[in-house]
């Protein structure tokens, strides 16, 4: 058992940003805080991205605080570029990330502390920053007949390269950026592609300026404040229309069909009787927040989400979720990581002043500055 002031779970953009601000505030790695990451190497979820997603095709990537990413080769895979950048960042600021460490559960320990149980032992902590993202929880929708399909089914998390689908008839399911990228790549080598989405895709023209960004964050923030699970970014921002997408639409690659009714051994069937034969179904259906290890704390609301104010879990002010809800973007992770550290510092100083750390404050009973 090791005692620290703060445990940070996850070393993606949100976790590294939080660790950076902890260090700037005066907390020392390993002595005052620890960063735990279950991935085999630096890079967060980026290290698992498919090789054809080059750095030049990544949109909306903001640098980590205190260190710009410059001179990157846009033709290199984003997994390599960003993995190298994160590795350099960890070493430059001496964040001493421990990996691979699997966090199994976070529970109440007593004495005002939380107990973080992991594959590398346990930590007792006064505060927790959860920055686990979503990559470990791919969402697989369920449709009648799905188990009878004779072809291959895979999720975005398992996608590697378009050549895996050469000469095949492929159904791509999903209305997000990943679905469109997969579809355009696969269409170059597949015998036939079919794009299926629940709702008509919303393409966004023009720059994603500050006003649009604020509006998108406000919509996501409204959901998590109500205790609902966060929506995907594309659901509130729309798909950014690029020249490659415009050309793909002209070729008919982005002609979309509504969701099928059921899956058959040979393909899919729609409510109107339409059928499409397929050799593979690619589920580009997004991810859900990886927060199962927090279940012992009972943070979820009846709506299924964790209600947060900023990054603070309303049901337990010791817990902050960075990279969840309105902070689930690279720029949001930077800003909210700083805000989370400020609130945690205020909370810990409050405990020291009042000298009653045995009982954590009740939800809503403590107001700390942002």
């Amino acid at each position: 058992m090791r005692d620290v002031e703060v445990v940070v779970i996850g070393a993606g953009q949100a976790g590294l940003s939080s660790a950076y601000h902890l260090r700037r505030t005066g907390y020392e790695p390993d002595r005052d805080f620890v960063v735990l990451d279950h991935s085999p190497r630096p890079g967060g979820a980026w290290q698992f991205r498919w090789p054809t997603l080059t750095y030049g095709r990544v949109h909306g990537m903001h640098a980590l605080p205190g260190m710009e990413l410059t001179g990157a080769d846009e033709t290199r895979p984003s997994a390599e570029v960003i993995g190298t950048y994160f590795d350099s960042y960890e070493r430059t600021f001496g964040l001493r990330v421990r990996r691979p460490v699997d966090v199994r559960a976070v529970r109440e320990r007593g004495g005002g502390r939380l107990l973080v149980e992991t594959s590398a032992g346990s930590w007792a902590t006064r505060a927790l920053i959860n920055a686990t993202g979503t990559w470990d929880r791919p969402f697989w929708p369920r449709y009648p007949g799905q188990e009878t399909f004779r072809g291959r089914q895979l999720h975005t998390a398992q996608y590697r390269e378009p050549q895996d689908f050469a000469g095949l008839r492929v159904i791509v399911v999903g209305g997000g950026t990943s679905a469109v990228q997969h579809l355009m790549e696969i269409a170059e080598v597949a015998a036939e592609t079919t794009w299926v989405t629940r709702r008509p895709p919303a393409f966004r023209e023009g720059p994603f300026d500050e006003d649009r960004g604020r509006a998108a964050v406000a919509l996501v923030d409204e959901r998590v404040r109500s205790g609902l699970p966060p929506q995907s970014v594309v659901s509130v921002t729309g798909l950014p229309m690029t020249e490659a997408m415009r050309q793909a639409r002209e070729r008919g690659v982005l002609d979309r069909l509504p969701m099928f009714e059921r899956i058959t051994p040979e393909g899919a069937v729609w409510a109107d009787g339409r059928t499409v034969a397929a050799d593979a179904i690619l589920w580009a259906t997004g991810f859900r927040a990886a927060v199962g290890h927090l279940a012992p704390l009972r943070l979820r609301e009846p709506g299924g989400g964790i209600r947060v104010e900023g990054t603070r879990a309303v049901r337990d002010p010791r817990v902050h979720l960075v990279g969840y809800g309105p902070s689930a973007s690279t720029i949001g992770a930077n800003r909210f990581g700083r805000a989370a550290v400020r609130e945690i510092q205020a909370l810990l100083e409050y405990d020291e002043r009042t000298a009653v750390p045995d009982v954590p404050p009740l939800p809503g009973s403590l107001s700390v500055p942002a």
Side-chain angles (χ1 to χ4, degrees):
M1 178 70 68
R2 286 149 285 190
D3 289 352
V4 290
E5 300 291 272
V6 186
V7 169
V8 179
I9 306 177
Q13 186 105 10
L16 293 183
S17 170
S18 300
Y20 168 85
H21 288 294
L22 283 168
R23 183 114 207 219
R24 283 200 67 186
T25 304
Y27 294 91
E28 284 295 320
D30 287 338
R31 186 193 70 187
D32 303 316
F33 75 92
V34 63
V35 183
L36 309 176
D37 187 36
H38 86 135
S39 296
R41 55 190 177 275
W46 290 101
Q47 66 191 274
F48 305 113
R49 305 289 185 183
W50 51 99
T52 52
L53 180 61
T54 57
Y55 183 64
R57 296 176 61 190
V58 171
H59 61 86
M61 171 66 193
H62 291 268
L64 285 158
M67 181 175 165
E68 292 294 323
L69 171 55
T70 59
D73 182 352
E74 294 194 349
T75 65
R76 286 180 63 202
S78 60
E80 295 179 8
V81 172
I82 299 174
T84 300
Y85 171 52
F86 279 20
D87 180 49
S88 177
Y89 189 87
E90 292 178 16
R91 288 185 286 103
T92 298
F93 295 106
L95 300 180
R96 302 178 193 171
V97 177
R98 296 177 181 235
R99 61 169 59 89
V101 177
D102 294 320
V103 175
R104 293 165 178 163
V106 180
R107 62 183 81 251
E108 182 63 57
R109 181 175 184 265
R113 288 184 175 267
L114 297 167
L115 179 64
V116 182
E117 299 173 348
T118 83
S119 59
S122 298
W123 278 266
T125 183
R126 296 172 66 193
L128 177 79
I129 295 177
N130 192 82
T132 47
T134 63
W135 186 260
D136 297 318
R137 282 199 65 204
F139 175 63
W140 291 76
R142 297 300 172 205
Y143 282 87
Q146 195 166 359
E147 70 285 354
T148 71
F149 183 62
R150 295 196 186 104
R152 181 188 179 196
Q153 295 188 62
L154 71 160
H155 190 274
T156 288
Q158 301 162 307
Y159 179 86
R160 299 307 297 162
E161 60 180 0
Q163 290 301 324
D164 292 340
F165 304 92
L168 302 182
R169 299 162 299 177
V170 185
I171 296 176
V172 177
V173 184
T177 304
S178 294
V180 173
Q181 290 177 345
H182 296 333
L183 187 65
M184 291 193 300
E185 285 189 344
I186 293 170
E188 297 293 329
V189 298
E192 182 181 286
T193 59
T194 303
W195 186 26
V196 179
T197 70
R198 282 194 304 152
R199 293 179 295 271
F203 291 98
R204 167 171 51 83
E205 299 279 357
F208 189 68
D209 56 23
E210 190 173 337
D211 288 339
R212 286 187 174 185
R214 278 198 297 264
V217 169
L219 288 172
V220 177
D221 188 50
E222 184 180 344
R223 280 185 63 86
V224 297
R225 282 180 178 272
S226 302
L228 297 173
Q231 288 180 306
S232 68
V233 174
V234 168
S235 68
V236 294
T237 64
L239 288 160
M241 177 61 72
T242 65
E243 183 57 33
M245 291 165 64
R246 203 170 277 111
Q247 293 175 8
R249 188 166 60 178
E250 291 173 357
R251 298 194 307 270
V253 173
L254 298 185
D255 288 345
R256 162 261 180 195
L257 293 178
M259 280 306 303
F260 41 71
E261 185 177 67
R262 57 190 172 88
I263 297 173
T264 69
E266 293 78 26
V269 177
W270 278 254
D272 61 3
R274 179 202 299 261
T275 63
V276 170
D279 304 298
I281 301 175
L282 173 56
W283 299 91
T285 44
F287 300 79
R288 299 293 182 265
V291 292
H293 54 285
L294 302 179
L297 298 179
R298 300 182 182 276
L299 302 178
R300 288 191 184 275
E301 301 293 333
I306 298 175
R307 189 155 62 99
V308 300
E309 292 183 358
T311 61
R312 175 170 53 87
V314 171
R315 289 180 178 264
D316 193 326
R318 298 169 296 178
V319 179
H320 285 256
L321 288 87
V322 184
Y324 179 90
S327 63
S329 66
T330 53
I331 191 170
N334 289 356
R335 183 162 60 90
F336 283 89
R338 179 175 64 249
V341 169
R342 287 177 178 172
E343 282 211 28
I344 285 172
Q345 183 182 25
L347 175 66
L348 299 185
E349 289 175 352
Y350 176 89
D351 283 349
E352 291 170 357
R353 287 197 308 269
T354 57
V356 286
D358 292 335
V359 181
L362 293 173
S365 65
L366 173 64
S367 177
V368 296

